[in-house]
Amino acid sequence: MRIETPKNRGQVSLLSKILLFVFIAMLPLLLSSPKSLTASRGMDRVNGVKILVLNYHKVDNQNISLSVLPKDFDRQMKYLKDNNFHTITMDEMYAALTEGAELPENPVVITFDDGYDDNYKYAYPILKKYGFKGTIFVITSFLDRNQPGYITWGQAQEMESSGVINIESHTVTHSSMTEQTDEQLRYEMAESKRDIEQRLGKTVGFIAYPTGTFNLHIASLVKEAGYKGAFTIKYGNVDRASNLYALERVPIFHTEDTYRSFLERLQYVPVFERLGWIKS
């Protein structure tokens, strides 16, 4: 049994005040419709347009957090389509951030990490169905090299050529970058970039940090390797205040109510930014 003292009574009181503040701050969110909140994402007069970057992994029928069911992914894409979201490419995002290039209303970048074969089987046709574009960050050593469950270079070429999917780097081996030497890091960055460029005949400009781990030194090596930007798993919108080598994303997972979770994540980002809890 816990004995309540004046000290812990004060702690409980402070916690209660914090929870009350959070509830009051979130009340407009709870009472508003998804459409009205997403429409408010809008433009920041200082930092420009807010770009929503969604982060997926698998799109298949496994009952695990990283696997969004195809029917759920389809429903999420339909929501974006019905609510006037427009997918943009990495280069369009980069031009907006660095040159102030104009973007469509409610811009969204759809990304997938690792390069699972279900991205080709399920996500790719669903994106085509809604006229959307996406980016897959691939682990290059896993393509065509005795790693079942990942896309092949042939599938990567097909998707890249279609204009629907953009293939970018997720390094060679998906090893945590904070646990590697500079020599290993340079290899992971340069070799994956070179491999994609040679096999697909394109320029690779972006990388996603494996497991999201990085630091400022690693970011400097990414820039040195010729990348224009790098993505983390930090929660938030991207705008001109973002670090190009630490770009924010909104991760999407399979939950007990995946669609509700998806809507909540879209809604929380602008609310949290207005409250100053994440970068505004």
Side-chain angles (χ1 to χ4, degrees):
M1 177 178 179
R2 182 184 179 189
I3 299 175
E4 191 173 280
T5 66
K7 180 179 180 181
N8 61 41
R9 273 203 304 269
Q11 292 173 339
V12 171
S13 177
L14 177 59
L15 178 60
S16 298
K17 290 178 181 178
I18 292 173
L19 292 174
L20 178 61
F21 171 78
V22 171
F23 175 76
I24 293 172
M26 298 298 290
L27 193 58
L29 170 66
L30 299 173
L31 297 177
S32 301
S33 68
K35 185 171 182 178
S36 65
L37 281 161
T38 53
S40 71
R41 188 175 303 279
M43 173 77 73
D44 183 307
R45 286 182 296 176
V46 176
N47 297 319
V49 67
K50 301 289 185 181
I51 302 170
L52 173 67
V53 184
L54 299 179
N55 176 211
Y56 293 90
H57 287 79
K58 298 175 69 62
V59 180
D60 65 12
N61 290 297
Q62 295 185 70
N63 188 29
I64 59 175
S65 62
L66 288 183
S67 294
V68 174
L69 301 178
K71 66 177 183 180
D72 287 332
F73 183 71
D74 187 289
R75 190 179 181 191
Q76 292 169 12
M77 295 305 101
K78 184 178 187 303
Y79 172 85
L80 295 177
K81 187 73 172 181
D82 291 346
N83 286 276
N84 203 34
F85 281 83
H86 299 86
T87 55
I88 61 172
T89 66
M90 294 280 172
D91 286 334
E92 289 171 331
M93 177 201 69
Y94 182 80
L97 297 177
T98 60
E99 303 167 14
E102 188 173 345
L103 291 176
E105 182 182 7
N106 295 326
V108 57
V109 178
I110 300 174
T111 69
F112 304 85
D113 284 2
D114 302 332
Y116 297 104
D117 57 5
D118 53 71
N119 293 178
Y120 175 81
K121 183 176 181 180
Y122 296 113
Y124 173 46
I126 291 172
L127 290 174
K128 285 197 292 186
K129 173 182 175 181
Y130 291 103
F132 283 171
K133 298 177 181 179
T135 292
I136 300 176
F137 293 102
V138 299
I139 307 166
T140 54
S141 69
F142 288 7
L143 276 64
D144 290 348
R145 298 181 188 176
N146 300 316
Q147 284 286 353
Y150 292 85
I151 61 172
T152 66
W153 283 111
Q155 291 169 337
Q157 179 67 70
E158 177 188 336
M159 291 189 288
E160 179 76 36
S161 298
S162 73
V164 174
I165 295 293
N166 172 39
I167 303 295
E168 300 287 341
S169 171
H170 203 30
T171 72
V172 177
T173 65
H174 198 264
S175 300
S176 174
M177 299 180 103
T178 55
E179 299 176 2
Q180 299 182 58
T181 66
D182 282 6
E183 182 180 4
Q184 291 170 324
L185 288 169
R186 289 190 173 96
Y187 168 78
E188 291 279 352
M189 297 170 189
E191 180 64 16
S192 59
K193 188 175 190 297
R194 181 199 64 79
D195 209 5
I196 297 169
E197 290 179 341
Q198 288 189 354
R199 289 176 179 271
L200 303 185
K202 59 164 291 177
T203 299
V204 171
F206 300 90
I207 190 170
Y209 297 113
T211 72
T213 56
F214 76 104
N215 54 42
L216 292 178
H217 176 63
I218 292 170
S220 71
L221 294 180
V222 170
K223 183 176 182 179
E224 176 188 295
Y227 290 94
K228 296 190 292 186
F231 287 85
T232 67
I233 54 174
K234 180 182 177 183
Y235 187 78
N237 283 318
V238 168
D239 60 24
R240 288 203 297 265
S242 298
N243 182 337
L244 287 172
Y245 295 94
L247 293 167
E248 299 87 354
R249 290 191 287 179
V250 176
I252 305 297
F253 298 108
H254 170 76
T255 67
E256 290 185 2
D257 190 339
T258 300
Y259 186 65
R260 179 181 177 84
S261 298
F262 169 77
L263 295 180
E264 288 173 346
R265 283 177 176 266
L266 264 62
Q267 294 165 24
Y268 288 163
V269 176
V271 172
F272 286 174
E273 288 188 339
R274 286 198 297 271
L275 294 173
W277 294 351
I278 57 178
K279 175 187 64 62
S280 58

